[in-house]
Amino acid sequence: MTINKFKGTRMLEVIHSPEDMFKLSRGIRKGGNSIGFVPTMGYLHQGHISLIDRARKENDIVVVSIFVNPLQFGKNEDLDRYPRDFERDYSLCKDAKVDYIFYPSYSDMYPEDFNTYVEVKELSEILCGAFRPGHFRGVTTVVLKLFNIVSPDRAYFGKKDYQQLQIIKRMVKDLNIPVEIVACPTVREPDGLAMSSRNRYLSPEERLSATYISKALFKIKDAFDRGASEVWRLKEVGLDVLNKAPLIGEIQYLEVVHPENLKSREYAQKGDVVAVAVFIGNTRLIDNIEL
Ligand code: AMP
């Protein structure tokens, strides 16, 4: 099947089966058109839309996948209550001029005899990986499957999930996967909170507390810009802010790390990343900022 699709004559189609998606994407590429791919777990917000907009600008065809991937959730995590609203996602995709939504079922992606996993060592074991064992193995496994099914020229990922982005870049490099990974800036609410599907879990009081996360990161960046580079000092600046948040729970980590290997620093350098994971009530939120 060869598909010659012209920009401007778009209709949004939903594809369920991996086989159909596979045939379709091969046809699109045979027809000389490029594919930009945005993998998501749905419940779309402006962060996702910014990835879609970028993909729209840089490719002939845009494919968005919506799949809440059970493989990347731990036993006591929020798989069952993860927000889902396909109709809303469909209409957001339509407005954003997406061409295809790939919307597979669990059994389509993981038949009963499924038994192959992809793991990026080391990078997957630190920061979030230390608190969510198996999480990144679930992410890399599903992303590689999606890449094989969609065969995109370019795939778009948010810096919001900074560690995930670096792990996927590493997987693509290590396994010679023929796709360009495009990193997109974090989209924030007007008060600084990084947009996330999980923000919907927050009560109004928790939502207010959550603003302290980005406040802490901005304050650290400010201190760095004014000349502070000892990481213990920068952490203190951040923790001071976080500890003022009324409903703050466990602070899992607040680290200054190398932008690619994600190793912790003693002295921060320009381009390093400050990454944080905290609980606000029962909701685990992550954020980061580049120095
Ligand atoms: P998710 O649906 O949470 O798995 O996210 C799908 C993609 O959207 C990932 O590449 C995320 O990094 C990206 N993303 C999520 N939130 C944001 C945000 N606030 N700004 C930019 N990208 C985001």
Side-chain angles (χ1 to χ4, degrees):
M1 176 170 46
T2 301
I3 305 235
N4 284 304
K5 207 161 181 196
F6 300 101
K7 286 186 177 182
T9 57
R10 291 181 201 108
M11 273 204 11
L12 175 56
E13 267 182 60
V14 182
I15 313 292
H16 293 279
S17 106
E19 289 74 23
D20 289 349
M21 187 69 240
F22 182 85
K23 282 188 200 139
L24 182 68
S25 54
R26 290 308 183 281
I28 292 169
R29 293 193 60 169
K30 256 196 197 159
N33 291 300
S34 60
I35 300 177
F37 177 44
V38 183
T40 81
M41 297 206 299
Y43 211 73
L44 304 180
H45 50 67
Q46 281 308 310
H48 298 113
I49 302 299
S50 73
L51 271 54
I52 293 171
D53 287 346
R54 176 97 185 257
R56 181 73 278 154
K57 282 201 191 93
E58 298 178 353
N59 302 276
D60 299 314
I61 298 291
V62 176
V63 178
V64 171
S65 64
I66 297 179
F67 181 62
V68 181
N69 174 35
L71 221 58
Q72 69 190 69
F73 286 78
K75 262 200 200 114
N76 299 315
E77 294 186 348
D78 56 342
L79 174 61
D80 291 338
R81 65 177 188 134
Y82 196 85
R84 294 160 168 91
D85 187 343
F86 183 76
E87 271 179 35
R88 182 173 163 276
D89 289 344
Y90 180 91
S91 115
L92 286 169
C93 283
K94 198 157 189 251
D95 292 346
K97 301 192 165 40
V98 170
D99 298 285
Y100 299 101
I101 298 178
F102 178 49
Y103 186 43
S105 69
Y106 173 78
S107 57
D108 280 337
M109 290 297 275
Y110 301 116
E112 254 175 40
D113 56 354
F114 182 87
N115 214 359
T116 305
Y117 300 86
V118 186
E119 195 169 355
V120 175
K121 294 286 187 190
E122 290 189 13
L123 278 182
S124 294
E125 292 150 19
I126 54 179
L127 303 173
C128 285
F131 295 92
R132 305 184 70 190
H135 167 66
F136 288 117
R137 184 176 90 139
V139 171
T140 40
T141 301
V142 81
V143 168
L144 181 56
K145 279 174 70 72
L146 291 168
F147 282 175
N148 285 332
I149 294 165
V150 177
S151 67
D153 295 80
R154 297 177 196 84
Y156 296 78
F157 290 87
K159 290 187 183 177
K160 155 77 174 33
D161 299 282
Y162 193 88
Q163 184 176 13
Q164 168 175 286
L165 169 68
Q166 293 311 318
I167 288 171
I168 285 162
K169 278 188 176 171
R170 180 66 62 84
M171 173 179 79
V172 163
K173 181 165 176 269
D174 287 354
L175 299 182
N176 306 88
I177 303 170
V179 59
E180 180 190 337
I181 302 300
V182 182
C184 304
T186 300
V187 177
R188 298 178 180 282
E189 300 285 357
D191 63 10
L193 178 66
M195 287 190 185
S196 163
S197 309
R198 290 191 165 100
N199 291 349
R200 159 201 167 119
Y201 299 148
L202 302 170
S203 70
E205 297 78 20
E206 289 171 340
R207 172 66 185 77
L208 210 62
S209 271
T211 60
Y212 285 75
I213 301 169
S214 57
K215 278 199 189 101
L217 294 177
F218 294 139
K219 196 132 188 225
I220 290 174
K221 183 170 163 52
D222 197 47
F224 176 77
D225 289 341
R226 289 163 189 267
S229 69
E230 300 101 323
V231 165
W232 69 265
R233 202 182 288 275
L234 293 172
K235 277 189 188 177
E236 218 171 61
V237 168
L239 289 173
D240 265 1
V241 178
L242 284 177
N243 286 321
K244 288 201 182 92
L247 295 171
I248 191 105
E250 182 192 1
I251 300 172
Q252 289 194 327
Y253 63 79
L254 171 64
E255 295 289 343
V256 180
V257 298
H258 181 281
E260 280 165 18
N261 65 30
L262 306 182
K263 292 219 165 98
S264 292
R265 298 278 212 190
E266 236 179 287
Y267 293 93
Q269 296 182 21
K270 199 165 171 53
D272 280 356
V273 172
V274 188
V276 63
V278 302
F279 273 91
I280 303 285
N282 291 325
T283 304
R284 184 178 181 279
L285 298 175
I286 57 170
D287 198 356
N288 67 84
I289 199 164
E290 290 168 280
L291 294 179

